[in-house]
Amino acid sequence: MRFALKIVFVLWVVLFTSLSYASANTAKTKDQKEPLMDTIHVNGMVLKGKITKLNPTTLSFKLANIEGVNHIPYKDIEAIHTNYRYNIFYDNEKLTGRIVGLIDQDSLEVNTNGATTLVRIDSIDHFSMSHEDDRSKKKHVNHTLPYTSGNFHIGFEFESGARVKNKTNVNTNITRKKGRNEGYLHLLYAYESTETPDTPEVTNKDEFSMALGNRYYYDPDNFFFGGLLGEYDLPREIDLRLVPNAGYGYDYKLGKDGVIKPQIGLAYVWTRYLHEDLYPDSSYVAAALGINGKYTFSDVKYIDTLTLDGRYIYYPSLEDFREEWISRANMGLTIPLYEFITMRFDFLWINDSNPAPSIGNNKTQTNFMLGVDF
């Protein structure tokens, strides 16, 4: 009898433990949702993670639980199915949905509320995860300004004591790409003044430069451009300078993360100086030569990405390039700090024909600034 009771007790303990474990496991399954993941099939392998970027020839994919991003050519991808929803802006249209297929390695099938739309990859102007699936501040900005990217940085220096010094630097670069048109704006401003008990306030810097224009791509790599450079530099005696310019350019892709845009054309340079009695207005027709580019180093240890950008313009007079010219070079290094807050190191080199012998032709600036990238 006692043996039978022991058997019944052991069976009851086993049954109770099994039921408790099953109940706990069921509750765990209900309480913990399986994380969303996208799936792509590459050369017979099934990869799970999420899409981070669409390039013209490659898809950037972050594998689940693995650091770094893989850049996979479309020709190696057999199938795509996303659980995340993505915003896709193309040909003046917008879709928000899940990608359910890759057709002929050049088009995406996108499902939106049960309806399927075919989107050519080379027509996509902007691609990002939907705000519903990624609520970070940076994604919110990207969703609000889908065609626009750029940065804004500012730096200050204030010194008091035997010498009072005030210094301000601003650097802004904005690009808006939609369809065949790519608009751009580059803005630089610098101000510096010093004062001592024995001397009045002296303005060492008060300068402003703005370049704006548009590139029209008649095919994916070739474009025509038209723009305007406007600037003043009071310590260098430049009251106002205007340089309309136009010409042709080409996109050289530097792999998946960079581009260089050389360009050539014509410009008209007009300058008014502060002291017209000493330095009369100047104007001449010039060649418009330039190059600008950008490269992003991905998967950098500790900081994730590092972006290097630069631009160079040269406007030599067609009549006598040794007597009249304008030359500008600007190079920046941007380091992310938190979400879209960044630190920028900026180097500027200015060289142009200036009529004031005491000023000279050459000047350089180096600045550290904080700001935002978007």
Side-chain angles (χ1 to χ4, degrees):
M1 183 68 178
R2 287 181 178 178
F3 180 75
L5 289 173
K6 286 181 180 179
I7 294 295
V8 171
F9 178 76
V10 169
L11 290 174
W12 183 84
V13 170
V14 171
L15 179 63
F16 178 78
T17 304
S18 300
L19 290 173
S20 300
Y21 177 79
S23 176
N25 194 50
T26 302
K28 183 178 179 181
T29 303
K30 289 181 180 179
D31 292 339
Q32 293 184 357
K33 280 187 175 181
E34 183 178 346
L36 289 176
M37 281 192 287
D38 300 334
T39 302
I40 62 173
H41 295 247
V42 181
N43 295 330
M45 298 184 295
V46 178
L47 306 180
K48 292 185 177 294
K50 63 181 178 181
I51 300 173
T52 60
K53 188 177 181 181
L54 290 183
N55 295 299
T57 57
T58 61
L59 177 148
S60 300
F61 195 77
K62 187 180 188 309
L63 292 170
N65 304 318
I66 297 178
E67 292 296 325
V69 175
N70 294 277
H71 307 284
I72 305 167
Y74 295 114
K75 63 182 179 63
D76 296 334
I77 300 175
E78 297 152 359
I80 301 176
H81 190 281
T82 71
N83 283 319
Y84 288 110
R85 289 163 292 183
Y86 291 93
N87 295 321
I88 302 174
F89 294 80
Y90 70 103
D91 293 341
N92 295 319
E93 302 286 341
K94 177 196 172 184
L95 283 177
T96 298
R98 294 178 172 88
I99 300 171
V100 295
L102 177 66
I103 307 300
D104 297 331
Q105 276 69 48
D106 63 5
S107 299
L108 300 176
E109 274 190 304
V110 184
N111 184 282
T112 305
N113 299 324
T116 302
T117 304
L118 195 65
V119 180
R120 286 190 58 84
I121 294 171
D122 60 11
S123 71
I124 296 175
D125 296 315
H126 176 75
F127 176 89
S128 66
M129 190 174 291
S130 71
H131 188 53
E132 289 79 8
D133 289 337
D134 185 347
R135 294 190 171 275
S136 66
K137 294 182 178 65
K138 186 171 184 178
K139 287 296 181 185
H140 177 70
V141 172
N142 289 339
H143 178 72
T144 305
L145 304 169
Y147 302 107
T148 304
S149 61
N151 54 67
F152 172 83
H153 292 86
I154 189 168
F156 297 102
E157 181 183 343
F158 302 105
E159 180 183 327
S160 61
R163 184 180 70 161
V164 177
K165 181 178 180 180
N166 298 299
K167 184 177 179 180
T168 303
N169 288 283
V170 176
N171 184 302
T172 298
N173 299 282
I174 297 175
T175 301
R176 187 177 191 274
K177 178 74 165 66
K178 186 176 182 181
R180 294 177 177 271
N181 291 286
E182 182 181 66
Y184 60 87
L185 169 68
H186 306 293
L187 187 149
L188 298 169
Y189 174 72
Y191 179 84
E192 180 183 317
S193 66
T194 55
E195 183 180 358
T196 68
D198 301 324
T199 60
E201 182 179 3
V202 177
T203 300
N204 305 311
K205 290 181 186 176
D206 186 0
E207 58 191 73
F208 174 85
S209 177
M210 180 179 68
L212 58 89
N214 186 73
R215 303 180 185 100
Y216 176 78
Y217 286 82
Y218 59 87
D219 68 27
D221 297 320
N222 296 274
F223 62 87
F224 295 118
F225 72 88
L228 176 69
L229 170 68
E231 60 183 19
Y232 74 80
D233 189 338
L234 301 187
R236 289 170 62 83
E237 298 284 343
I238 300 170
D239 185 41
L240 179 63
R241 173 175 284 151
L242 297 174
V243 187
N245 54 89
Y248 160 82
Y250 185 83
D251 271 19
Y252 284 102
K253 304 294 191 301
L254 301 177
K256 57 192 176 296
D257 294 317
V259 64
I260 291 180
K261 303 173 188 282
Q263 56 191 45
I264 184 171
L266 291 173
Y268 180 78
V269 181
W270 176 84
T271 306
R272 182 178 66 211
Y273 296 98
L274 281 176
H275 299 92
E276 297 183 27
D277 53 335
L278 296 176
Y279 312 115
D281 293 354
S282 169
S283 62
Y284 57 90
V285 177
L289 308 176
I291 185 170
N292 63 81
K294 182 177 181 180
Y295 192 88
T296 300
F297 299 89
S298 303
D299 305 326
V300 180
K301 196 171 183 179
Y302 303 121
I303 60 174
D304 190 29
T305 61
L306 188 67
T307 302
L308 178 68
D309 63 82
R311 53 190 293 265
Y312 173 73
I313 57 173
Y314 178 46
Y315 299 135
S317 169
L318 294 181
E319 185 176 343
D320 191 346
F321 68 90
R322 289 167 296 189
E323 289 295 324
E324 293 183 299
W325 74 91
I326 294 174
S327 182
R328 302 280 185 274
N330 178 227
M331 185 173 68
L333 189 66
T334 304
I335 301 171
L337 298 178
Y338 175 73
E339 287 202 349
F340 51 81
I341 299 174
T342 57
M343 178 176 66
R344 181 179 175 88
F345 167 80
D346 203 53
F347 175 78
L348 176 66
W349 173 69
I350 296 174
N351 184 279
D352 55 31
S353 52
N354 194 293
S358 60
I359 294 174
N361 298 328
N362 201 51
K363 181 174 73 170
T364 62
Q365 295 180 22
T366 304
N367 303 301
F368 285 97
M369 295 174 283
L370 287 175
V372 296
D373 269 44
F374 53 89

